[in-house]
Amino acid sequence: MDIHRCRFIPYPASTINALTFSHTSTSKASAISPSNLRLAIGRANGDIEIWNPQRGHWVQESILSGGKDRSIEGLVWTHDLEGQRDDGNEGEVPGMLRLFSIGYSTVITEWDLALGKPIRHSGGNYGEIWCIAAQPRWQAPAKSVAPSTKLNDNQKSEQHLAVGCADGTVVLHSTADGDLRFLRTLAQPSGKKSRVLCIAFLGREKIVAGYADSTIRIFNLSHGRQLSSMSLGAGQPGGPTEILVWSVRCLSDGTIVSGDSTGEIRFWDGQNYTLLQRIKSHKEDILDLAVSADGLTIFSGGMDRRTTMYRRTGDNHKGKRDRWAEISHQRYHSHDIKTMATFESNDMSVVVSGGVDATPIIIPLREFGKEYIRSLPMIPNCSPVQSAPKKRLVVSWWDREISIWRIESIWGVLQETEAAPDQRQVRKLVAKIALQGEENIASVSISSDGNLVAVSTLSSVKIFHLRPSKSSAKDSVRLRKTEIPANLAGHGSKLLQFSPDSKWLLTIRCDDSIYLHRIAKTSDVHPRFRILERGVELLRLPRSSKSSPKALQGSLGKYERSIIRAAWSSDSRILVLCDLQGYLDSWVLEGYEDLSHSNDYAVNDQQLMTEPAMNGDDEESNEELDEAARPVVILGQHWIRNPRAASLPRVPSFPLVMSFRPAKPASLAASTNGHITMHPTRHNPHPHSHDLPIGEDRLFVLTSLHKVYEYQIFAGKLSDWSRRNPPSTLPEEFRAIRDRAMNCVWDISDRKERVWIYGSSFLWMFDLARDLPSVAPKELEAQSHPDGDTQQISRSSKKRKRKHAQKQNHNLMQGTTGAGSKIPEKELSTGIGSKIHKTTGVEQGTGQWISLHTMHNQARDEDDDAIDDDGPEDATGELSALVRLRRANSEFPSTRDDGQNGDANTDNRRVNNGDAVAHGSTDAGLGYWHTFKYRPILGIVLLSDESGREDNSRTSGEDGYESQRGLEVALVERPAWDLDLPPRYHGDQEWNK
């Protein structure tokens, strides 16, 4: 496989301005993370990313597209109160989880996660909104505690929003009854009109607001008046006279914590409103704070890129007040830290921070210092890069711009020029599209022949025709907007995708309605394309929720049934869609194309219009018929639901990669149009075939938990390869990857069936022409030792060592709190409470450091080892009896335990300048290969596919290099050091500036 390593394709990073979790933290030891827990990330370009923590796997589910000058400056979630069921059954209906945002305007926006766009706004006659906070949700008091005041149902369900404005106004908005409306104003603008920079709730009845005039003000929610004002004093000598209060937080005991422009964190008494303590921990402004659920730990982040942790100290004696101490500070970010958020439960405890460097950082909270930190990718999980291999075009997009590049073959350039090719000879920007309007791009697709480019926003769809330019330039193209039907152009789409044969365009609208549009091509010398007026609507099978959330956890509504992935078969006759709950819906294209029946769709429309009139009594039932009962026939073909669609197993977790195995075109009987001819009759003037496709129907699926499955669509079950290779047989190195997969490319030939999976930090190859190895890679080398007696003698000890090493690696990844893996004990420092110094005898030199965690779990580990020695093999050991039986009964090439499964196949990977960038071989005992050299990967797309050639001819360049011409791809990287970021703060002792 030849790799073009591309770093010239731009993708500007967008600053993270807001972070918020959908649920509040809990200090209860028995509480686990809700299944519908989400993290919302607001960026400066107006996009909102929805992340699913998945108990530490962290996958990006969707992106709510923003627009021009719509920066997200604040995000909050609210949770409506539970309601009673209408069906008479016991229990309560979970309340809806609702997301609100602000951004450089006087408007609060509520977002519909299912539609992916705003659903309502609320504004008023006040200044620009700078900050927002949500009132804590009402909780029923304990039975032993008598309520101080009685609240009606409306007061319980209300969860107000408080916003601070640039003119000093504090405004309340109500979210009761599923609405968003202005309630009242708490603070009128002062004479100075000082900005409200931050705001927080102290319980449900008080609001704490930080101002730009060195003050913190407390307001009463019920009476609407100011209770107190706390002054921070004058600014530092030689600096501004006023201190900016950038962040305020309230602890569970009522303590108020503030971070300001002097780099100090201050602690205030929440009852007397007096200063308790101040700590100078930052050299520049503190921009945000994050507190733990128990109020014992605080994190701060600021312009000096420091992330500082504080902990409460003291013995809690009467008459003595606890003090706070700075425990640690690190620079995890490369630029300013603008926002932080925390979530804690029994199985998860993390701090998430973000800022100008556009990279979210996950920091362990409860296990700080015992687990690694983790950074999430700054690039979207759905790659914003596509290609047209037939014309070697690469398309990339961001915000409202689209760039189209042509990348020439290095072999063709070498044949034309004797000298080494210049970079400008290999790549060229052939077209650039800037969309008019304010909405960001939601989806882009280019046809495989490179003739059409489809672009969609949430409100419209546009299609452009790429034509060769009349100029003398070789690679220049012209763009022409194609006329499309109003029913396509007037509806936005969150996902567009051309079929591999470029004859169909799939559009998935914001409400998850599915439409297919036929593309017709004229036979002129200069071909033109048009979209047929009639579109085909596909209906999904009705599915019930796989698990109803608990009433107290809230509900995301229809968002969990949102369509996220689509896959076409290589012959464009099978279409599969999948939603967030893992349900697969599939359709097949019946019949063969017949261009003589170009008006079939109009005749079918007339039949649909007259059919209800012929059966007036059943008019209502006719409207409910799906496409299987009344298929729309277009050019002799029509789409029907897969007959085995209902029997397809649900994917355990939603898929990140979904792709059909490529296949060669099937040979069909010769006819007028290349297919069997259908003759019209008097009773059937427009006949069409009902033959189902006979091509490749195996669908490769990689889930968000990095589990691999393969489905046979027409059989409605897992394929034989997937049954022989369950997820437990995947290599340990693959399962240990933290970053999630983005997409894949295929390399198919007579001798290999390889799928190349890539994520933001890895490139992994699986050879599906063989079974996965049943033993660890290191054991293959040990078992191939020629000394059979030695191998037989040491088999038991090697087995024990292998189990111990696998158990250690497994334990480091299991039981974490949502950030990185556990830090090995040998790398842990001798921190407080982590190790003790044990001395045996009177000599001090015989002492040793012993981990308390090791002593605590030593007995349990010994018991586990005893069980493992006498018990059956675990998942990381040998294969199960059922899998061994399936492999024994098949003729499929497999990897034997002795590692002898055929010849080694070596691939040379080259870049544009001819230098080898990665040279790896598929070991004789392995069916996979991987590298972590490329990062961060924005996307990998095909440039040309010659992997299916029957001959094994070789071509040589002018430099004498001989290579088998096979798969050729463009690997697009977007390194962080190449981003165009504003100047950052540099400390006195920083040498790397």
Side-chain angles (χ1 to χ4, degrees):
M1 182 173 72
D2 293 333
I3 295 179
H4 291 256
R5 196 172 184 178
C6 307
R7 290 183 177 176
F8 55 86
I9 295 179
Y11 186 82
S14 184
T15 300
I16 298 176
N17 291 331
L19 291 167
T20 180
F21 282 96
S22 59
H23 295 70
T24 57
S25 301
T26 177
S27 57
K28 297 180 180 179
S30 60
I32 62 174
S33 302
S35 59
N36 51 6
L37 176 66
R38 298 295 186 272
L39 170 68
I41 300 179
R43 295 187 178 269
N45 64 349
D47 290 347
I48 300 178
E49 301 175 2
I50 305 298
W51 288 77
N52 188 346
Q54 284 194 335
R55 299 185 179 180
H57 293 285
W58 294 99
V59 58
Q60 185 187 94
E61 288 185 344
S62 61
I63 298 179
L64 311 181
S65 300
K68 182 180 180 181
D69 299 330
R70 299 181 187 177
S71 175
I72 302 297
E73 296 297 321
L75 289 171
V76 292
W77 294 82
T78 62
H79 184 183
D80 291 344
L81 199 65
E82 296 78 20
Q84 299 296 326
R85 294 184 178 273
D86 298 333
D87 53 8
N89 296 330
E90 296 182 357
E92 295 179 334
V93 178
M96 289 297 299
L97 294 170
R98 303 164 63 185
L99 179 63
F100 301 88
S101 70
I102 59 171
Y104 290 142
S105 67
T106 61
V107 175
I108 302 176
T109 303
E110 181 179 358
W111 293 82
D112 189 323
L113 299 184
L115 297 178
K117 58 183 180 181
I119 56 175
R120 59 178 60 92
H121 306 273
S122 178
N125 188 18
Y126 39 78
E128 293 182 352
I129 299 176
W130 275 65
C131 52
I132 185 173
Q135 185 182 25
R137 191 167 182 263
W138 180 85
Q139 295 181 356
K143 295 182 179 180
S144 58
V145 179
S148 58
T149 58
K150 294 183 178 180
L151 302 178
N152 55 37
D153 294 338
N154 292 333
Q155 291 175 327
K156 293 178 181 179
S157 61
E158 289 181 352
Q159 195 172 0
H160 299 320
L161 299 180
V163 296
C165 306
D167 58 0
T169 307
V170 176
V171 183
L172 278 182
H173 286 74
S174 174
T175 62
D177 302 326
D179 198 2
L180 176 63
R181 60 182 181 272
F182 170 81
L183 192 59
R184 64 178 181 271
T185 300
L186 290 183
Q188 297 294 336
S190 61
K192 299 172 60 176
K193 291 187 177 181
S194 180
R195 301 188 304 273
V196 184
L197 300 179
C198 55
I199 197 168
F201 275 86
L202 180 58
R204 282 181 55 89
E205 298 299 328
K206 296 180 183 180
I207 291 179
V208 182
Y211 284 74
D213 59 354
S214 305
T215 60
I216 300 175
R217 295 181 174 93
I218 315 297
F219 300 94
N220 184 279
L221 191 63
S222 301
H223 305 289
R225 67 172 184 266
Q226 179 176 328
L227 297 179
S228 180
S229 177
M230 301 179 293
S231 177
L232 279 72
Q236 297 178 349
T241 58
E242 295 181 342
I243 298 176
L244 307 179
V245 183
W246 288 114
S247 179
V248 291
R249 290 289 184 270
C250 301
L251 304 183
S252 56
D253 62 353
T255 303
I256 301 173
V257 187
S258 66
D260 53 53
S261 57
T262 64
E264 289 186 353
I265 180 173
R266 309 193 187 202
F267 302 88
W268 309 81
D269 191 323
Q271 295 181 353
N272 301 323
Y273 309 119
T274 56
L275 180 63
L276 301 177
Q277 186 182 355
R278 53 195 292 183
I279 301 176
K280 176 67 174 179
S281 55
H282 290 260
K283 297 182 180 299
E284 290 294 329
D285 299 29
I286 295 178
L287 299 182
D288 203 5
L289 300 170
V291 300
S292 61
D294 56 8
L296 300 179
T297 306
I298 298 176
F299 283 83
S300 64
M303 295 179 60
D304 58 355
R305 298 178 286 134
R306 277 188 176 185
T307 300
T308 307
M309 186 185 71
Y310 316 84
R311 279 184 179 169
R312 190 193 298 252
T313 61
D315 299 330
N316 294 326
H317 293 307
K318 289 185 178 181
K320 292 186 178 180
R321 187 179 298 274
D322 294 343
R323 303 288 292 177
W324 289 85
E326 177 184 346
I327 301 299
S328 171
H329 66 265
Q330 296 288 337
R331 284 192 173 99
Y332 303 126
H333 289 268
S334 60
H335 220 289
D336 300 2
I337 304 173
K338 301 190 66 176
T339 178
M340 307 180 80
T342 62
F343 179 81
E344 286 186 90
S345 63
N346 184 28
D347 57 345
M348 189 173 178
S349 179
V350 295
V351 178
V352 186
S353 60
V356 180
D357 59 2
T359 302
I361 300 294
I362 312 297
I363 306 171
L365 199 159
R366 186 188 311 127
E367 298 296 326
F368 183 81
K370 300 179 182 179
E371 295 178 358
Y372 291 108
I373 68 164
R374 178 184 173 187
S375 62
L376 300 181
M378 65 178 179
I379 56 181
N381 185 260
C382 292
S383 174
V385 180
Q386 289 192 14
S387 69
K390 295 181 181 179
K391 291 188 177 179
R392 305 183 65 86
L393 297 178
V394 177
V395 178
S396 65
W397 65 92
W398 68 92
D399 293 349
R400 295 167 302 282
E401 295 184 8
I402 304 173
S403 299
I404 304 177
W405 300 77
R406 187 190 303 275
I407 302 179
E408 298 293 342
S409 174
I410 185 65
W411 312 108
V413 176
L414 287 174
Q415 292 177 359
E416 294 178 0
T417 59
E418 297 181 357
D422 186 20
Q423 292 183 354
R424 291 173 294 181
Q425 296 178 286
V426 178
R427 67 173 189 263
K428 181 180 181 181
L429 180 64
V430 297
K432 194 172 184 178
I433 304 174
L435 294 185
Q436 297 180 354
E438 297 183 351
E439 291 186 319
N440 287 348
I441 296 174
S443 180
V444 174
S445 181
I446 184 172
S447 59
S448 60
D449 54 13
N451 290 322
L452 296 176
V453 175
V455 186
S456 71
T457 63
L458 296 180
S459 61
S460 63
V461 175
K462 296 180 176 64
I463 298 180
F464 299 91
H465 181 200
L466 299 178
R467 298 182 299 169
S469 177
K470 296 181 180 179
S471 62
S472 58
K474 175 183 176 182
D475 297 329
S476 59
V477 298
R478 292 186 300 168
L479 287 173
R480 177 179 179 179
K481 188 176 179 180
T482 302
E483 296 293 334
I484 59 178
N487 60 355
L488 173 60
H491 293 83
S493 176
K494 64 179 182 181
L495 179 61
L496 293 174
Q497 194 167 335
F498 283 102
S499 62
D501 60 3
S502 304
K503 295 180 179 179
W504 295 92
L505 174 62
L506 168 68
T507 62
I508 300 178
R509 297 180 180 176
C510 299
D511 59 353
D512 288 310
S513 57
I514 309 162
Y515 287 88
L516 288 172
H517 299 269
R518 185 63 160 84
I519 302 173
K521 178 181 178 181
T522 62
S523 57
D524 301 337
V525 178
H526 302 287
R528 294 187 177 183
F529 299 87
R530 68 185 181 94
I531 309 297
L532 301 187
E533 189 72 23
R534 175 68 176 179
V536 182
E537 182 180 7
L538 305 180
L539 302 180
R540 291 192 288 172
L541 287 171
R543 310 285 180 93
S544 59
S545 179
K546 64 179 182 179
S547 61
S548 58
K550 296 181 179 180
L552 296 178
Q553 295 181 359
S555 173
L556 294 173
K558 298 180 180 179
Y559 171 72
E560 295 182 345
R561 289 302 316 276
S562 299
I563 299 174
I564 57 171
R565 294 292 185 272
W568 289 89
S569 62
S570 57
D571 58 0
S572 303
R573 300 191 63 180
I574 307 176
L575 174 64
V576 178
L577 304 177
C578 190
D579 57 25
L580 285 174
Q581 286 196 336
Y583 289 113
L584 298 174
D585 289 278
S586 56
W587 297 268
V588 295
L589 184 61
E590 254 189 356
Y592 305 107
E593 182 182 20
D594 191 349
L595 299 179
S596 62
H597 288 180
S598 58
N599 294 326
D600 277 0
Y601 66 95
V603 174
N604 199 46
D605 285 350
Q606 186 68 22
Q607 293 176 354
L608 295 178
M609 294 173 60
T610 58
E611 186 175 351
M614 297 173 60
N615 302 292
D617 297 335
D618 298 324
E619 181 177 355
E620 183 177 356
S621 61
N622 287 330
E623 293 178 356
E624 298 177 355
L625 293 178
D626 57 8
E627 75 279 0
R630 303 184 301 174
V632 178
V633 181
I634 300 179
L635 301 179
Q637 296 177 308
H638 62 278
W639 288 90
I640 65 170
R641 182 177 289 124
N642 176 22
R644 302 301 300 273
S647 60
L648 283 174
R650 185 183 66 84
V651 183
S653 56
F654 64 90
L656 297 177
V657 177
M658 195 168 65
S659 177
F660 279 92
R661 287 201 191 195
K664 298 179 181 179
S667 60
L668 301 175
S671 61
T672 305
N673 291 325
H675 305 290
I676 301 175
T677 304
M678 302 294 296
H679 299 284
T681 63
R682 181 178 61 181
H683 300 287
N684 188 11
H686 299 282
H688 57 273
S689 173
H690 292 276
D691 293 342
L692 295 176
I694 58 176
E696 181 65 74
D697 70 331
R698 287 177 293 178
L699 179 69
F700 179 85
V701 175
L702 177 63
T703 70
S704 60
L705 299 180
H706 273 196
K707 296 183 178 181
V708 174
Y709 301 93
E710 190 179 51
Y711 294 85
Q712 287 184 270
I713 300 302
F714 288 150
K717 63 179 182 179
L718 294 175
S719 68
D720 294 338
W721 182 91
S722 186
R723 292 163 62 86
R724 293 192 308 269
N725 299 272
S728 60
T729 62
L730 293 174
E732 184 67 27
E733 302 96 318
F734 182 75
R735 289 183 287 178
I737 297 177
R738 290 287 183 177
D739 292 335
R740 300 294 91 180
M742 299 172 60
N743 210 335
C744 70
V745 294
W746 290 87
D747 187 7
I748 301 295
S749 67
D750 295 337
R751 296 183 301 172
K752 57 187 178 183
E753 297 180 7
R754 295 179 177 177
V755 54
W756 292 84
I757 305 169
Y758 67 89
S760 61
S761 61
F762 68 92
L763 177 62
W764 196 285
M765 185 276 295
F766 285 110
D767 191 354
L768 303 186
R770 66 178 82 178
D771 288 333
L772 296 174
S774 58
V775 293
K778 294 181 180 180
E779 189 178 2
L780 294 175
E781 182 180 358
Q783 289 185 356
S784 59
H785 197 278
D787 190 357
D789 296 336
T790 305
Q791 176 185 359
Q792 187 70 20
I793 296 174
S794 60
R795 179 177 300 175
S796 178
S797 60
K798 289 182 178 180
K799 181 179 179 181
R800 185 184 297 272
K801 292 180 180 179
R802 172 173 58 87
K803 285 186 178 182
H804 182 68
Q806 291 177 352
K807 181 182 293 186
Q808 282 187 336
N809 295 333
H810 183 74
N811 292 337
L812 291 178
M813 295 191 60
Q814 297 296 324
T816 59
T817 59
S821 301
K822 296 179 182 179
I823 301 178
E825 295 179 1
K826 61 181 180 181
E827 298 181 12
L828 288 174
S829 60
T830 58
I832 300 176
S834 61
K835 293 183 179 181
I836 61 174
H837 192 271
K838 181 180 179 181
T839 302
T840 303
V842 296
E843 297 183 4
Q844 298 294 330
T846 60
Q848 59 179 345
W849 288 99
I850 300 177
S851 173
L852 296 178
H853 180 73
T854 303
M855 296 176 61
H856 179 72
N857 295 329
Q858 184 176 5
R860 184 183 60 184
D861 293 341
E862 292 177 355
D863 294 339
D864 294 340
D865 291 339
I867 296 176
D868 290 340
D869 290 340
D870 298 333
E873 293 286 342
D874 53 13
T876 59
E878 298 179 359
L879 298 179
S880 64
L882 181 59
V883 175
R884 291 200 303 269
L885 179 62
R886 289 171 178 169
R887 292 189 176 186
N889 294 336
S890 71
E891 299 178 357
F892 198 86
S894 61
T895 303
R896 299 180 305 185
D897 287 349
D898 57 1
Q900 307 298 324
N901 68 328
D903 299 333
N905 194 345
T906 303
D907 284 345
N908 292 302
R909 297 161 184 83
R910 300 172 62 85
V911 292
N912 294 338
N913 59 6
D915 298 332
V917 298
H919 180 83
S921 62
T922 303
D923 192 5
L926 300 177
Y928 57 88
W929 181 91
H930 67 278
T931 181
F932 298 95
K933 181 174 183 177
Y934 312 104
R935 61 176 58 191
I937 299 176
L938 188 63
I940 299 179
V941 293
L942 294 175
L943 291 179
S944 66
D945 185 7
E946 300 182 4
S947 58
R949 294 174 52 175
E950 295 295 337
D951 58 344
N952 293 326
S953 60
R954 294 179 177 267
T955 58
S956 58
E958 297 294 332
D959 58 352
Y961 181 82
E962 188 179 46
S963 173
Q964 182 177 353
R965 298 295 302 277
L967 193 68
E968 188 176 3
V969 299
L971 190 150
V972 182
E973 292 178 291
R974 195 58 181 145
W977 60 81
D978 197 24
L979 299 178
D980 187 13
L981 299 177
R984 70 180 186 182
Y985 168 82
H986 295 287
D988 298 334
Q989 297 181 352
E990 292 187 56
W991 294 273
N992 185 15
K993 299 183 179 181

